[in-house]
Amino acid sequence: MSCADDKAWTREEFEAALRGMEKYYHIHHPYHILMNEGKLSKEQLQGWVANRFYYQVSIPLKDANILANCPDRETRSQWIQRILDHDGHPGDPGGIEAWIQLGIAVGLSREEVTSLKHVLPGVRFAVDAYVNFARRAEWHEAASSSLTELFAPKIHQQRLDNWPEHYPWVDLEGYTYFRKRLTEARRDVEHGLAITLDWYKTREQQDRMVQILKFKLDVLWAMADAMYMAYVHNMPPYFNIGQ
């Protein structure tokens, strides 16, 4: 490797490298492409909502682990808003409740969603890996792993634009979560990106951060893989051995 390859990126180059990882975002997964094109069945869309709920309820746990490992009061005072966004607070029932309402809007019951009985093992393993990473990692690295939020507003906007046309049977009251995250994700990105660009200074550190972001992208992709096998290929776990 040449010396030029070891040279640290400028702040602008580093941010561009992180944004360039969008090509691995699950918006490009076949399951999400089918969803965006209106080609999922009702059962396939329900399966996605039910499985994604496990991710939703795990995000505050991930953020709580980051807070527990973070000695910086100013950072904690901002990061804690993420937990409030999901768990709720007076005047706002929160993103988890909004996702339950999405589940109801696609025809699931509250109990079906909150019981987690539809969650596939592959989804559970991927999400648990993410929470465990946040628990064990140095807090800057755990915080930086959240930067898949760079790409989230686009996927939420797609759903708001396309679902009413493609899935007219979905109750419009269910779209609250997507609308909320349009603004929340952009605010979170601003904070998370500032932490990341300030902390990783050498090229080795910056390359490490790109791999951390890739790990989080792998988590989201693996979740979609599990759902694609189960609901598109009709190959859920143990499908070939019966019950």
Side-chain angles (χ1 to χ4, degrees):
M1 183 179 292
S2 68
C3 293
D5 292 329
D6 293 330
K7 183 180 179 181
W9 285 318
T10 65
R11 195 177 181 91
E12 292 73 23
E13 290 170 337
F14 187 21
E15 181 175 345
L18 296 175
R19 292 186 180 277
M21 297 295 285
E22 190 271 346
K23 63 186 177 182
Y24 299 113
Y25 192 50
H26 62 175
I27 196 172
H28 304 297
H29 192 282
Y31 204 85
H32 284 273
I33 292 173
L34 290 172
M35 184 189 301
N36 188 48
E37 294 177 346
K39 295 178 180 178
L40 292 185
S41 68
K42 182 175 183 178
E43 291 73 21
Q44 289 166 341
L45 195 62
Q46 289 175 334
W48 176 76
V49 172
N51 276 271
R52 177 78 181 199
F53 184 71
Y54 188 64
Y55 179 83
Q56 301 305 134
V57 297
S58 298
I59 291 301
L61 304 181
K62 176 267 297 183
D63 288 321
N65 280 302
I66 293 173
L67 287 175
N69 292 328
C70 177
D72 183 66
R73 178 183 177 187
E74 183 178 350
T75 298
R76 292 198 308 267
S77 70
Q78 295 184 62
W79 203 273
I80 198 170
Q81 184 61 47
R82 296 170 182 248
I83 296 178
L84 297 175
D85 287 343
H86 282 80
D87 283 345
H89 54 85
D92 182 359
I96 290 174
E97 178 59 30
W99 198 272
I100 294 171
Q101 294 303 315
L102 175 62
I104 293 171
V106 300
L108 299 169
S109 68
R110 176 180 289 269
E111 191 278 333
E112 279 186 287
V113 177
T114 59
S115 69
L116 305 178
K117 65 183 181 182
H118 297 303
V119 177
L120 297 163
V123 170
R124 189 180 296 271
F125 292 158
V127 173
D128 288 352
Y130 181 40
V131 174
N132 287 329
F133 172 79
R135 180 178 296 120
R136 299 191 307 266
E138 194 277 334
W139 77 266
H140 290 92
E141 294 192 348
S144 296
S145 71
S146 297
L147 276 180
T148 49
E149 294 161 336
L150 284 166
F151 319 123
K154 180 178 179 180
I155 204 169
H156 293 318
Q157 190 63 59
Q158 277 189 348
R159 293 163 187 159
L160 289 168
D161 291 342
N162 298 333
W163 279 32
E165 176 184 354
H166 294 321
Y167 308 107
W169 48 269
V170 176
D171 192 324
L172 295 179
E173 293 296 318
Y175 294 134
T176 298
Y177 179 85
F178 303 142
R179 288 192 291 268
K180 280 171 57 68
R181 289 306 297 167
L182 282 177
T183 54
E184 291 171 356
R186 291 188 176 99
R187 179 208 63 211
D188 292 346
V189 162
E190 183 177 346
H191 184 216
L193 192 58
I195 290 172
T196 299
L197 297 178
D198 287 343
W199 180 251
Y200 301 90
K201 295 300 187 182
T202 70
R203 181 58 182 273
E204 182 180 6
Q205 292 171 333
Q206 292 167 338
D207 286 340
R208 163 74 176 162
M209 173 49 215
V210 171
Q211 291 307 306
I212 290 170
L213 183 57
K214 180 59 165 52
F215 159 72
K216 174 60 187 307
L217 291 163
D218 289 347
V219 166
L220 298 173
W221 197 274
M223 291 169 61
D225 278 347
M227 288 182 268
Y228 195 81
M229 288 294 292
Y231 304 128
V232 177
H233 286 304
N234 296 313
M235 296 171 64
Y238 314 118
F239 76 98
N240 60 321
I241 63 174
Q243 298 296 323

